[in-house]
């Protein structure tokens, strides 16, 4: 819907946007209304308070094109009807609104471009005609006298209307009644609509007088919403959006709201509804790798531990349409092991829904590539992006370079980039990954060695009590994957809770590694890393070693406000690993 400075003069946006919280009352059909709005219901279709006559011609249409809400008792029914109608409409050329005089209608010619006004149409043809006859005889025109295109008129409804009321509510009617042409001064206006729009239009006209609707059924509200969008009645769009938002939402209804015609989605009045739909989907499918707690070998994305995914849930997530996947993967609260898992999921979904390479590259470049936060992918996975044929090579090179430059920036610069990007796609905003990111420095000479840095927030540590654990992303040494895990556990004697840190090797083959390792942590007041534990261990797949009480203090002391180990709310840990020859 195109905004107009001549918008709804009776549309208190601040009140509507707050769900009528400050002035809520009960209107027709039990729907909320605002007491601050003028109620002209008494003037609806009353000749005493009207200056014009609106003639509504209801046109016949094919049986399969019946009204969206007709026969629908649920959102699911409405969704199936809308999907079929959208598929049919893709085959048709775009239509236009036109305003023209009756003479051109009778002859069934195209409207005179000099006397006409054109409006965009989103779904179906709506024709508004200013009739030249004056007096009541215009309401009794014999349908048989109309041309061939007019023979499909099923019935005619005549209403007495007030042009100031309609013009104040709708830029469409404002332009219709004030276009400065001779026809705009005529008393009779004819509006031609399809039969499927009749119920929604009557509800809309009633709303423009009374500020309430007689229906609270979701399918009908959706039809009224789109009629309001077509005739640019922002207050009714906001009203319908509010009612729909208060209804229980399901994945089916949320997807339906996001798949409304693009003009509706762009309307400010419907933004709270689409935002709620995105939030619902993001919450419902936030764990796209939903799994059981059984640990298995053969992790593909270099992260330990791996868990068996629920096939049914996975199939449901993979069957989501594009708008649904975008809503889910755009969330900061997505629960995934790492951003590598997001990348793998996007590729799997795109290959399933777009088997043709050209189409898949297009959707990955223009849509889904934006929801992947490449700066938080591991370098090993970024290398695979460069060689992935699903992505356009130039685009893949750009996102990988951007990611590497971000990783190389100082922390304060990273925070600045994240703040700048927060209004768009949050590319530089780190999600709350199940496996915490680490920074790794690797050495090959004089012998294989790596230094791993793991930072944990105070809140993350707090959530570990009484028996939780958090795993790091995998890092590699000597061609083998390792990981760190922080625990809240009982001390060696089982007398109190404490903080423990462990080093584990992923299950991969039967090779064994003799490793010297050292754990260190920053502490006050010097804020330098100090060694906390040294050891050596011969690792085999799936084994872990560490220290149950790294700081040799109870959990309460470790988490206290005056704790020596949290610096500005961050626990800084370091592990140094060296492979013994």
């Amino acid at each position: 819907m195109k905004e107009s400075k001549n918008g709804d003069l009776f549309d208190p946006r601040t009140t509507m946007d707050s769900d009528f919280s400050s002035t809520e009352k009960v209107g027709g059909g039990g729907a909320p209304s605002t007491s601050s709005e003028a109620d002209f219901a008494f003037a609806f279709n009353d000749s005493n308070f009207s200056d014009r006559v609106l003639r509504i011609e209801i046109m016949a249409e094919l049986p399969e094109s019946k009204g969206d809400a007709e026969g629908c008792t649920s959102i699911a029914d409405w969704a199936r009807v809308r999907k079929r109608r959208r598929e049919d409409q893709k085959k048709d050329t775009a239509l236009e609104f036109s305003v023209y005089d009756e003479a051109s209608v009778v002859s069934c010619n195209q409207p005179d471009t000099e006397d006409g006004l054109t409006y965009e149409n989103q779904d179906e043809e709506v024709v508004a005609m200013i009739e030249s006859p004056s007096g009541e005889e215009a309401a009794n025109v014999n349908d048989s006298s109309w041309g061939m295109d007019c023979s499909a008129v099923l019935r005619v409804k005549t209403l007495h209307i007030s042009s100031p009321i309609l013009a104040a509510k709708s830029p469409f009617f404002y332009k219709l009644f004030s276009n400065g042409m001779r026809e705009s001064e005529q008393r009779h206006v004819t509006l031609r609509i399809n039969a499927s729009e009749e119920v929604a239009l009557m509800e809309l006209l009633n709303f423009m007088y009374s500020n309430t609707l007689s229906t609270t059924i979701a399918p009908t509200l959706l039809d009224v919403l789109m009629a309001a969008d077509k005739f640019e009645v922002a207050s009714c769009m906001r009203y319908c959006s509010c009612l729909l938002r208060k209804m229980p939402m399901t994945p089916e209804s949320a997807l339906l709201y996001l798949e409304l015609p693009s003009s509706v989605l762009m309307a400010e009045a419907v933004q709270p509804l689409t935002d709620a739909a995105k939030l619902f989907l993001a919450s419902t499918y936030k764990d796209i790798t939903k799994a059981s707690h059984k640990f298995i070998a053969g992790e593909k994305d270099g992260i330990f531990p791996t868990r068996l995914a629920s096939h049914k849930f996975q199939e449901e997530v993979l069957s989501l349409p594009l708008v649904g996947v975008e809503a889910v993967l755009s969330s900061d609260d997505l629960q995934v092991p790492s951003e590598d898992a997001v990348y793998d999921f996007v590729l799997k979904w795109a290959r399933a829904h777009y088997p043709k390479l050209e189409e898949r590259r297009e959707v990955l470049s223009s849509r889904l590539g934006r929801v992947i936060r490449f700066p938080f992918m591991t370098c090993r996975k970024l290398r695979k992006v460069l060689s992935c044929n699903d992505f356009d090579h130039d685009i893949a090179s750009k996102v990988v370079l951007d990611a590497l430059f971000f990783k190389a920036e100082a922390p304060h610069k990273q925070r600045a980039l994240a703040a700048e990007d927060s209004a768009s796609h949050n590319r530089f905003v780190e999600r709350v990954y199940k496996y915490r990111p680490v920074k790794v420095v690797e050495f090959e000479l004089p012998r294989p060695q790596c230094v791993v840095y793991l930072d944990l927030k105070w809140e993350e540590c707090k959530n570990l009590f009484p028996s939780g654990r958090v795993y790091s992303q995998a890092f590699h040494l000597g061609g083998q994957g390792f990981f760190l895990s922080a625990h809240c556990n009982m001390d060696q004697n089982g007398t109190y809770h404490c903080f423990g840190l462990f080093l584990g090797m992923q299950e991969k083959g039967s090779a064994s590694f003799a490793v010297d390792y050292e754990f260190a942590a920053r502490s006050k007041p010097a804020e330098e890393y100090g060694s906390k534990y040294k050891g050596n261990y011969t690792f085999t797949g799936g084994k872990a070693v560490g220290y149950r009480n790294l700081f040799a203090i109870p959990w309460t002391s470790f988490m206290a406000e005056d704790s020596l180990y949290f610096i500005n709310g961050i626990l800084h840990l370091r592990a140094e690993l060296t492979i013994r020859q």
Side-chain angles (χ1 to χ4, degrees), residues 10-29:
F10 305 130
D11 182 17
R13 297 188 176 210
T14 55
T15 302
M16 298 294 293
D17 288 341
S18 61
D19 288 349
F20 316 101
S21 58
S22 62
T23 55
E24 187 170 296
K25 70 174 184 178
V26 176

Side-chain angles (χ1 to χ4, degrees), residues 457-458 461 524 558-559 563-571:
K457 297 178 182 178
W458 185 88
C461 293
K524 301 173 184 177
F558 166 67
M559 294 297 297
S563 174
L564 299 178
Y565 301 104
F566 286 97
I567 302 173
N568 296 323
I570 302 294
L571 173 66

Side-chain angles (χ1 to χ4, degrees), residues 466-490:
S467 58
R469 59 187 66 185
V470 60
Y471 295 92
S472 77
Q473 292 180 357
F475 53 92
H476 293 78
L477 179 63
Q480 180 61 50
F482 292 86
F483 65 93
L484 294 173
S485 62
H487 297 219
C488 176
N489 43 225
M490 301 299 292

Side-chain angles (χ1 to χ4, degrees), residues 147-395:
M148 287 181 60
D149 291 343
C150 308
S151 61
V153 175
L154 291 179
R155 56 189 174 275
V156 175
K157 282 189 174 182
T158 303
L159 299 175
H160 294 281
I161 60 170
S162 168
S163 57
I165 291 177
L166 297 189
K169 287 284 185 181
S170 160
F172 176 90
F173 284 104
Y174 179 90
K175 287 179 282 188
L176 182 64
F177 297 136
S178 64
N179 56 30
M181 298 186 299
R182 174 182 58 83
E183 289 83 354
S184 66
E185 301 174 359
Q186 299 300 322
R187 185 169 182 267
H188 292 79
V189 180
T190 297
L191 188 67
R192 181 177 295 173
I193 62 171
N194 290 322
S196 61
E197 298 177 295
E198 180 181 358
V199 173
L201 177 59
M202 295 307 296
E203 284 281 357
L204 177 63
L205 289 172
N206 181 70
F207 177 88
M208 294 170 78
Y209 278 81
S210 65
N211 303 307
T212 62
L213 295 173
S214 64
T215 181
T216 56
I217 300 173
T220 306
L221 285 173
L222 283 166
D223 277 349
V224 176
L225 173 63
M226 287 192 294
D229 175 64
K230 187 173 295 185
F231 292 101
E232 304 178 73
V233 187
S235 58
C236 189
M237 294 179 68
R238 192 168 283 108
Y239 188 94
C240 293
S241 172
C242 177
L243 289 181
L244 290 169
R245 200 164 70 253
K246 289 182 176 180
M247 294 180 179
M249 198 171 290
T250 65
E252 211 164 32
S253 64
L255 288 171
L256 181 59
Y257 301 148
L258 295 180
E259 291 178 327
L260 289 171
S262 58
S263 63
V264 177
L265 292 179
M266 290 187 293
E268 177 188 354
V270 187
Q271 195 64 47
L273 178 62
T274 55
D275 288 345
K278 291 176 182 177
L279 184 62
F280 176 85
L281 290 174
S283 176
T284 301
Y285 299 107
K286 63 183 178 181
D287 192 351
I288 60 173
T289 57
K290 195 172 185 178
S292 65
H293 290 281
K294 181 178 179 180
F295 296 96
I296 61 174
E299 169 58 33
K300 290 184 178 181
D301 59 7
I303 298 169
F304 186 94
T306 301
R307 299 188 293 176
L308 291 173
S310 166
H311 293 296
K312 184 176 180 181
F313 186 83
Q314 282 281 307
E315 290 174 0
E316 187 176 345
V317 178
L318 285 170
S319 67
L320 289 172
L322 180 57
V323 292
V325 170
E326 286 180 313
V328 172
L329 300 186
S330 296
S331 172
D332 292 343
D333 298 323
L334 192 65
Q335 294 182 3
V336 287
S338 70
E339 199 66 27
D340 291 2
V342 177
Y343 172 80
D344 289 336
F345 176 85
V346 166
L347 282 187
K348 186 174 182 179
W349 183 93
R351 289 167 180 171
H353 289 260
Y354 296 89
K356 294 183 179 180
L357 179 59
E358 290 184 2
E359 295 179 354
R360 187 161 66 249
R361 280 186 172 182
E362 172 61 26
V363 76
L364 286 173
S365 300
S366 62
R367 303 282 293 272
L368 287 181
R370 299 176 180 179
V371 301
I372 302 174
R373 303 182 184 184
F374 292 96
F376 299 100
M377 290 172 58
T378 62
C379 291
R380 293 171 66 90
K381 184 66 75 172
L382 288 174
R383 293 192 190 100
K384 294 183 178 181
V385 175
L386 289 175
S387 60
C388 179
N389 194 42
D390 298 76
F391 280 89
D392 177 84
H393 178 72
D394 291 340
I395 293 177

Side-chain angles (χ1 to χ4, degrees), residues 86 88-98 110 118-127 262:
R86 285 197 303 273
D88 292 340
Q89 288 155 11
K90 287 179 182 178
K91 304 173 184 177
D92 302 329
T93 57
L95 300 175
E96 293 181 340
F97 290 166
S98 296
Q110 292 296 323
T118 301
Y119 303 90
E120 290 184 8
N121 183 24
Q122 292 80 38
D123 277 327
E124 297 141 12
E125 185 178 19
V126 174
V127 180
S262 58

